[in-house]
Amino acid sequence: MKIAIIGTGYVGLTTAVVLAYLNHDVAAVDKDESKLNLLHEGRSPIHEPGIQSLLEEVQHTIRFTPNVAEVVPEAELILIAVGTPPKKNGEADTQHVEQAAKEVAQVCLPDRHYTLVVKSTVPIGTNQRVAEVVAEVFSERGIPGNISIASNPEFLQEGLALQGAFYPDRIVVGANSDEAIDTLRRLYKPILEQTFDPPSEFPRPSSYHLPPMMTTDPNSAEMIKYAANTFLALKISFINEIAGLCEEVEADVTEVARGIGLDGRIGNKFLQAGLGWGGSCYPKDTAALLGVAAQSGYEMPITEAARTINFRQRDRVIEKLRSTLGTLKRKTIGILGLAFKPNTDDIREAPALDIVRELIAAGATVRAHDPIAIGNAHRALSGNGETEDNKVIFTEDVYELPYDADALVLVTEWELYHKLELRRLAKQMKTPILIDGRNVYSPEEARAAGFHYIGIGRA
Ligand code: UGA
């Protein structure tokens, strides 16, 4: 199938590469020249396990261009995967989605049928708005136009994006037209029936079952995306709230999570207590959902509480450091991990950045390590002057992190940190205090290595 994808961010590029791998004829459009330059050289602008090699594998069947008019007229299906950044009031800004829809409608051929699919995460009702924008352009052009519009929310997790795209739990399609549903069923046929040869880096999991394609109305499809993210966000916030109480009553939250997770109704995923969620999705999407609710005058206290608990986790680490060290003034704190989660260099809404900023504001010096996100973190912190006067020192070698440090805080649970020689780290520190913000280490082992160990929700 001939496909045009507008936007080559995490969603757009992953989708483009996977659909090209499935033998579709893919053209991806982006206005960002620096991104296009990289893509033309066959290099991925995002860090995502496996994407570089897959991009190289499909480079003869995928095209990148800044020009909608070059690819849309011949396409059968057009996917919009542009950003929906938060407005000042938290609502998601859909101007790029509407603009993309407008540009598509301007270049559609009058005598052809197209399916236009919104993949971006958008407020409920956007599908309808896109239909209006398209109709306005057709009427200006004086043509009847022939476009079916659908909503196909994306559930990719950064760091696991390709795995999730080849082996999804489900595909959700919201559309009022049978034609759009049929086109999307044809698009995803190799995934729905798992008829493709798995790429060597992504073998088909032995326990994997064929995914359902759920079809529904567009508003419900848009709501499914927000509700899924908000539910996952509040599951994490719930276990973090329990973690706080565990500390008060000398229980261990990792044991509690294991015990409740064995209940099939609860499930053991997304019950890892720690520094809470960051990234470009949960903070933005929970705020956007509250924005949608506010417009209807509807209160969502559970969603509000999930946010409050989440951001409180970051402050609690600072409190733990203060109560252990007395003051943070002139102390040196080592930060293990800057990315918002492992296997990505994405630092958007990363807990580490807030913690670093609070430490600097309290008069501490920060030493920070991350396997791949140092460049992005450096840029983000430089903007506010936090990297000036050596207030934040980035170390490429993790064993250089603890020099003279008064405490270490593990913020991101990179695989590398699971295997650290704790004794070697502890030996170099002024005071060997370890705040394990993701409960990665066994308290006994950390203590045996010489650390004063403090986890999250562990007595
Ligand atoms: C999330 C969803 O998982 C995807 O399904 C969705 O498509 C995506 O948002 C999106 O809307 O684009 P992502 O933000 O990439 O994906 O990452 P997650 O793996 O969900 O993790 C989010 C945050 O939760 C991370 O900061 C992680 O450290 C934290 N987390 C996760 C916990 O604190 N505890 C857990 O048990 C799990």
Side-chain angles (χ1 to χ4, degrees):
M1 187 183 296
K2 257 192 172 356
I3 301 158
I5 299 182
I6 322 275
T8 62
Y10 278 93
V11 172
L13 186 58
T14 304
T15 309
V17 168
V18 168
L19 292 178
Y21 183 84
L22 299 176
N23 289 325
H24 290 301
D25 181 347
V26 178
V29 183
D30 206 296
K31 288 181 177 157
D32 183 333
E33 214 176 299
S34 57
K35 255 190 209 173
L36 283 179
N37 287 342
L38 283 173
L39 289 165
H40 284 143
E41 290 167 19
R43 293 197 286 148
S44 168
I46 59 166
H47 180 93
E48 184 60 43
I51 200 147
Q52 183 58 44
S53 55
L54 214 59
L55 187 59
E56 284 162 22
E57 202 172 329
V58 299
Q59 68 173 312
H60 300 296
T61 52
I62 196 167
R63 266 188 308 149
F64 297 100
T65 168
N67 196 354
V68 169
E70 209 180 283
V71 295
V72 165
E74 293 308 317
E76 179 179 353
L77 180 117
I78 302 126
L79 290 164
I80 298 182
V82 296
T84 48
K87 295 193 220 165
K88 277 211 176 79
N89 62 2
E91 285 170 21
D93 187 345
T94 56
Q95 62 164 311
H96 301 301
V97 173
E98 289 184 30
Q99 180 60 25
K102 205 172 181 177
E103 288 175 23
V104 167
Q106 276 159 350
V107 297
C108 282
L109 303 176
D111 52 350
R112 278 189 64 146
H113 175 260
Y114 299 91
T115 300
L116 177 62
V117 179
V118 180
K119 240 191 181 321
S120 309
T121 300
V122 290
I124 296 90
T126 302
N127 203 279
Q128 183 53 41
R129 179 70 200 126
V130 164
E132 285 161 15
V133 167
V134 168
E136 279 161 25
V137 175
F138 284 160
S139 120
E140 280 164 24
R141 290 180 63 193
I143 57 169
N146 190 5
I147 285 198
S148 309
I149 296 176
S151 167
N152 173 217
E154 176 58 55
F155 301 104
L156 80 73
Q157 263 176 286
E158 282 183 35
L160 297 167
L162 292 167
Q163 182 74 18
F166 284 117
Y167 311 112
D169 286 346
R170 79 303 206 186
I171 290 171
V172 173
V173 172
N176 294 321
S177 110
D178 290 342
E179 219 164 355
I181 293 171
D182 285 349
T183 310
L184 280 158
R185 209 181 284 285
R186 272 192 292 122
L187 176 79
Y188 289 123
K189 194 167 186 272
I191 289 176
L192 293 169
E193 297 177 1
Q194 290 290 307
T195 46
F196 61 92
D197 287 331
S200 53
E201 284 188 63
F202 300 100
R204 188 170 292 124
S206 54
S207 57
Y208 186 67
H209 294 291
L210 295 185
M213 179 167 127
M214 173 189 163
T215 55
T216 183
D217 62 279
N219 280 12
S220 299
E222 289 167 344
M223 182 61 113
I224 285 168
K225 170 68 192 195
Y226 278 124
N229 272 5
T230 302
F231 186 81
L232 292 168
L234 70 90
K235 196 171 179 192
I236 300 165
S237 284
F238 172 77
I239 201 67
N240 280 332
E241 186 173 78
I242 293 291
L245 189 56
C246 282
E247 289 173 10
E248 300 297 324
V249 299
E250 301 203 358
D252 185 330
V253 75
T254 60
E255 291 298 300
V256 176
R258 193 158 66 93
I260 64 172
L262 286 167
D263 184 328
R265 293 168 301 175
I266 296 174
N268 60 8
K269 292 182 181 157
F270 278 62
L271 281 181
Q272 203 191 320
L275 286 166
W277 31 270
S280 66
C281 305
Y282 299 159
K284 177 167 94 71
D285 293 351
T286 49
L289 189 64
L290 289 173
V292 171
Q295 280 181 359
S296 313
Y298 183 72
E299 287 181 12
M300 298 192 77
I302 295 182
T303 307
E304 303 237 19
R307 289 176 58 81
T308 306
I309 292 160
N310 187 61
F311 298 114
R312 185 174 79 176
Q313 290 306 96
R314 304 171 188 196
D315 298 334
R316 286 175 68 90
V317 163
I318 304 289
E319 283 161 26
K320 280 176 200 246
L321 283 170
R322 266 212 183 92
S323 69
T324 321
L325 293 169
T327 173
L328 292 171
K329 236 189 192 127
R330 285 185 286 280
K331 301 286 185 198
T332 300
I333 313 296
I335 301 289
L336 285 158
L338 296 160
F340 87 95
K341 63 184 265 189
N343 297 323
T344 176
D345 62 352
D346 195 340
I347 46 97
R348 287 176 287 177
E349 303 271 351
L353 295 198
D354 280 348
I355 290 170
V356 168
R357 289 188 175 117
E358 281 201 48
L359 289 171
I360 300 300
T365 296
V366 171
R367 296 175 67 82
H369 176 270
D370 190 282
I372 55 172
I374 285 180
N376 284 344
H378 192 284
R379 272 185 290 281
L381 292 166
S382 302
N384 294 326
E386 272 109 350
T387 52
E388 284 163 21
D389 308 326
N390 282 342
K391 284 185 264 184
V392 185
I393 300 154
F394 296 97
T395 65
E396 301 277 346
D397 178 351
V398 67
Y399 287 103
E400 282 179 13
L401 185 76
Y403 284 167
D404 268 345
D406 297 277
L408 289 186
V409 183
L410 183 139
V411 181
T412 316
E413 67 279 31
W414 284 96
E415 191 60 33
L416 163 79
Y417 299 157
H418 289 249
K419 300 174 195 144
L420 288 176
E421 294 171 49
L422 292 183
R423 195 175 293 278
R424 191 171 154 196
L425 291 177
K427 268 194 186 147
Q428 302 178 60
M429 296 176 66
K430 225 186 270 166
T431 47
I433 294 164
L434 172 61
I435 304 215
D436 181 359
R438 299 286 176 184
N439 292 340
V440 160
Y441 303 111
S442 123
E444 292 75 27
E445 275 172 38
R447 283 176 192 134
F451 272 112
H452 172 55
Y453 175 89
I454 303 168
I456 306 288
R458 301 171 116 179

